[in-house]
């Protein structure tokens, strides 16, 4: 492998995930308020150090050496699946129920809550009034994937605040 390819691989494996949203603090710690009574904040867990609220009030998940909260070796190994548990939390501050899911354009990264991917409306996590859930991240470097960057994570919660009885109905 020549030096240029090695540099691209190393940069790709130490990728940054960026959630581009505005912020208004609703908890005691800094949060990223994405609207619809839904906010994001770094978890108080060992892997929560990979998430922080930046100067613009946006949640950033950063597994690279540029993360100001992490010392020593960072990133992921090649040809593996690396799990980051409870990196950040999604909180719903409404009085009814909300279906929340995350989207992005990287096929090498999966976000999950309660052990299940939350990547579409049919695979959303349901949050009750004033409930929060930890979000895990899995980074896949298998199959020759070497670009681990996902800018502009989409957080979806359409119609947040639906009635409790809808929570038990099958999703379309």
């Amino acid at each position: 492998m020549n030096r240029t390819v090695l540099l691209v691989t190393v940069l790709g494996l130490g990728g940054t995930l960026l959630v581009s949203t505005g912020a208004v603090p609703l908890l005691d710690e800094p949060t990223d308020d994405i609207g619809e009574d839904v906010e994001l904040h770094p978890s108080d867990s060992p892997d929560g150090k990979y998430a922080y609220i930046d100067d613009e009030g946006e949640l950033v998940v950063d597994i690279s050496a540029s993360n100001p909260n992490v010392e020593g070796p960072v990133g992921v190994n090649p040809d593996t699946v690396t799990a980051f548990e409870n990196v950040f939390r999604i909180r719903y501050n409404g009085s009814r129920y909300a279906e929340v899911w995350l989207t992005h354009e990287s096929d090498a990264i999966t976000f999950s809550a309660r052990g299940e991917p939350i990547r579409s409306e049919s695979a959303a996590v349901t949050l009750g009034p004033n409930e929060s859930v930890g979000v895990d991240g899995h980074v896949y470097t298998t199959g020759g994937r070497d670009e681990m960057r996902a800018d502009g994570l989409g957080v979806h919660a359409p119609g947040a605040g639906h009635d409790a009885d809808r929570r038990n109905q099958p999703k379309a």
Side-chain angles (χ1 to χ4, degrees), residues 8 12-13 19 41 48 61 64 85 95 121:
V8 170
L13 295 179
V19 179
H41 62 92
V61 176
S64 74
E85 296 181 1
S95 59
E121 185 173 12

Side-chain angles (χ1 to χ4, degrees), residues 1 8 10 19 24 37 40 51 59 61 80 85 93 105 110 115 134 152 158 160 168-169 172:
M1 178 184 296
V8 170
V10 169
V19 179
V24 175
D37 292 320
L40 309 174
L59 180 81
V61 176
T80 64
E85 296 181 1
N93 294 307
E105 297 193 16
T110 300
N168 298 319
Q169 294 177 1

Side-chain angles (χ1 to χ4, degrees), residues 58-124:
E58 297 176 351
L59 180 81
V60 176
V61 176
D62 186 348
I63 59 172
S64 74
S66 67
N67 185 326
N69 302 321
V70 180
E71 294 181 21
V74 294
V76 295
N77 294 318
D79 204 29
T80 64
V81 177
T82 304
F84 297 91
E85 296 181 1
N86 199 13
V87 178
F88 64 94
R89 297 191 69 77
I90 302 171
R91 180 171 173 81
Y92 175 61
N93 294 307
S95 59
R96 296 164 78 183
Y97 286 86
E99 307 287 334
V100 183
W101 70 94
L102 309 173
T103 57
H104 57 82
E105 297 193 16
S106 175
D107 68 346
I109 301 164
T110 300
F111 290 105
S112 61
R114 299 181 182 141
E116 298 293 328
I118 52 172
R119 59 180 163 230
S120 68
E121 185 173 12
S122 64

